[in-house]
Amino acid sequence: MSKRILVTGGAGFIGSHLCKRLLDEGNNVICLDNFFTGSKKNIEELLDNSRFELVRHDITKEYYAEVDQIYNMACPASPPHYQYNPIKTMKTSVLGIINMLGLAKRCKATILQASTSEVYGDPHVHPQVETYWGNVNPIGIRSCYDEGKRCAETLMMDYHRQNNVDTRIIRIFNTYGPNMDPQDGRVVSNFIVQALQGQDITIYGDGSQTRSFCYVSDLVDGIVKMMNNPQKFIGPVNLGNPSERTILEFAKLIIEMTGSKSKIVYKPLPGDDPTQRKPDISLAKKELGWEPKVDIREGIEKTIEYFDKKLKENK
Ligand code: NAD
Ligand code: UDP
């Protein structure tokens, strides 16, 4: 049956794919965004759909609508963007989720919070399991994001216990794909754009830190499964691809796949940059029957195509 669904941050990278998927399934979608890091371009193809509504709004302010489900995706996700105005980032996570939980409570809607692997900080448990409480610096340059997301998880659980709100928490691990902003400063966009433009590939630190990259269509499958999971499994659940590699290996893969002549240069490692990250996805497999399907080469191929087209358009 068609549902009324609110997607905050719907004009962003992941949000835009989610809006499209929900419309394709026949739902009515309200996409709410303040366009801090999102773009109208990401949702241009959806604007003609009569079941799609675009609202410019900031989730730090109250919002009223009648909806059945809320996907709270709004929050800058790349370190340079979330560190640009750290106080605003914290407000987006904390005031934003309070407003959305209030809306969910009034509408009796199910609400899903896009949390993050950053709640584990620089993890001492590897791979990361949901029962691990993490190793987060509360006063560092990443704290506005990490602690904001941790506080949002707390509020989700408190509204669940105190007000019986139907909540779902997902912890997203590094995700990539089309609709990423070429300028957003994350490693996937930086390396591909640098390689396509023949610029130096900037590795921060010595490149021995690891990440595990998930293609966006796999992630969106997991997100929708979690929201509609009939067994009332509320999480938190890790969603990511466990295939782990060092940042140096990743740089070499991008150079090989783009056929670029770019050379690798080393820059200082930003503060509190996690040394290792890999999701344990046993829980998602067991509770949701979910696991990623897209191989890194297939996903990166599509992402290179996207950035190549985007860079040519902007010339
Ligand atoms: P993104 O920056 O592309 O999208 C975020 C969207 O939220 C943008 O459209 C932005 O304009 C909007 N936004 C920001 N602040 C807002 C506010 N106050 N009010 C309304 N809209 C606001 O990032 P993304 O990669 O698509 O991430 C989406 C969500 O997933 C975020 O909550 C992020 O923390 C989470 N996440 C992403 C990743 C990843 O690898 N991409 C990893 C972990 C968690
Ligand atoms: N990184 C890098 N070069 C870049 C951008 C990022 O070496 O141009 C590194 C960054 O220091 C981190 C990893 O790549 O160790 C992933 O960074 P990203 O900003 O994509 O996300 P994070 O997982 O750190 O939130």
Side-chain angles (χ1 to χ4, degrees):
M1 207 184 78
S2 166
K3 297 189 191 73
R4 298 161 303 175
I5 304 179
L6 176 64
V7 180
T8 76
F13 158 50
I14 298 172
S16 57
H17 289 275
L18 182 60
C19 286
K20 181 168 186 325
R21 162 76 181 260
L22 297 171
L23 286 170
D24 288 347
E25 287 175 353
N27 299 295
N28 289 282
V29 174
I30 303 174
C31 164
L32 192 152
D33 207 294
N34 71 350
F35 295 107
F36 174 51
T37 51
S39 153
K40 240 187 179 178
K41 277 251 171 231
N42 286 343
I43 42 159
E44 209 169 27
E45 58 171 321
L46 312 180
L47 292 171
D48 286 341
N49 190 323
S50 59
R51 286 180 286 103
F52 184 72
E53 191 182 337
L54 175 62
V55 179
R56 180 187 283 267
H57 182 83
D58 193 306
I59 60 160
T60 60
K61 307 276 181 276
E62 288 178 6
Y63 177 72
Y64 293 91
E66 300 306 318
V67 291
D68 305 304
Q69 294 183 336
I70 303 167
Y71 290 89
N72 190 40
M73 311 303 291
C75 187
S78 105
H81 281 150
Y82 69 64
Q83 287 162 17
Y84 170 77
N85 184 346
I87 298 171
K88 177 65 197 240
T89 299
M90 184 61 99
K91 284 183 180 172
T92 293
S93 280
V94 179
L95 298 178
I97 196 66
I98 290 173
N99 288 329
M100 290 305 127
L101 280 161
L103 178 63
K105 184 180 159 192
R106 183 176 59 75
C107 295
K108 297 193 174 20
T110 309
I111 178 166
L112 177 144
Q113 165 66 359
S115 191
T116 167
S117 52
E118 284 284 318
V119 299
Y120 302 121
D122 190 4
H124 292 155
V125 169
H126 194 74
Q128 289 77 59
V129 280
E130 290 84 349
T131 46
Y132 178 47
W133 291 351
N135 174 40
V136 175
N137 175 1
I139 56 167
I141 56 169
R142 293 175 88 103
S143 314
C144 60
Y145 184 72
D146 301 8
E147 298 289 17
K149 291 283 188 180
R150 285 169 69 96
C151 181
E153 288 200 10
T154 306
L155 284 158
M156 289 282 284
M157 292 310 297
D158 285 336
Y159 269 77
H160 178 71
R161 284 186 288 251
Q162 193 175 327
N163 296 124
N164 219 14
V165 174
D166 187 8
T167 55
R168 310 291 156 99
I169 299 172
I170 54 162
R171 292 182 179 154
I172 304 173
F173 283 65
N174 296 66
T175 298
Y176 70 97
N179 292 5
M180 286 185 98
D181 174 1
Q183 307 301 331
D184 100 352
R186 284 183 270 193
V187 70
V188 177
S189 42
N190 272 10
F191 284 6
I192 296 180
V193 169
Q194 289 163 344
L196 289 174
Q197 297 188 322
Q199 296 164 354
D200 292 345
I201 306 275
T202 54
I203 289 190
Y204 302 158
D206 63 6
S208 63
Q209 71 271 38
T210 67
R211 293 294 186 272
S212 310
F213 297 104
C214 182
Y215 190 65
V216 64
S217 59
D218 280 335
L219 178 78
V220 167
D221 276 347
I223 297 178
V224 172
K225 275 202 161 136
M226 183 60 175
M227 174 65 100
N228 296 300
N229 170 39
Q231 287 134 25
K232 298 269 176 192
F233 163 66
I234 66 166
V237 65
N238 290 338
L239 294 180
N241 191 320
S243 147
E244 182 187 17
R245 64 202 70 235
T246 66
I247 293 301
L248 177 60
E249 285 166 350
F250 186 62
K252 288 179 178 163
L253 177 74
I254 299 298
I255 291 173
E256 182 218 306
M257 288 188 64
T258 49
S260 173
K261 297 208 168 19
S262 292
K263 61 180 195 321
I264 290 175
V265 296
Y266 293 87
K267 302 266 181 190
L269 187 69
D272 294 338
D273 201 287
T275 47
Q276 51 180 0
R277 184 181 289 156
K278 170 183 175 167
D280 181 318
I281 58 165
S282 318
L283 192 63
K285 277 187 190 162
K286 178 171 163 263
E287 295 290 343
L288 307 174
W290 175 86
E291 64 184 315
K293 297 189 179 72
V294 180
D295 171 72
I296 186 93
R297 283 182 176 269
E298 187 189 341
I300 290 292
E301 187 82 55
K302 290 185 181 148
T303 312
I304 292 172
E305 246 171 61
Y306 169 78
F307 281 123
D308 195 32
K309 191 161 159 250
K310 189 103 185 153
L311 293 174
K312 283 178 182 143
E313 273 169 19
N314 292 345
K315 260 193 185 153

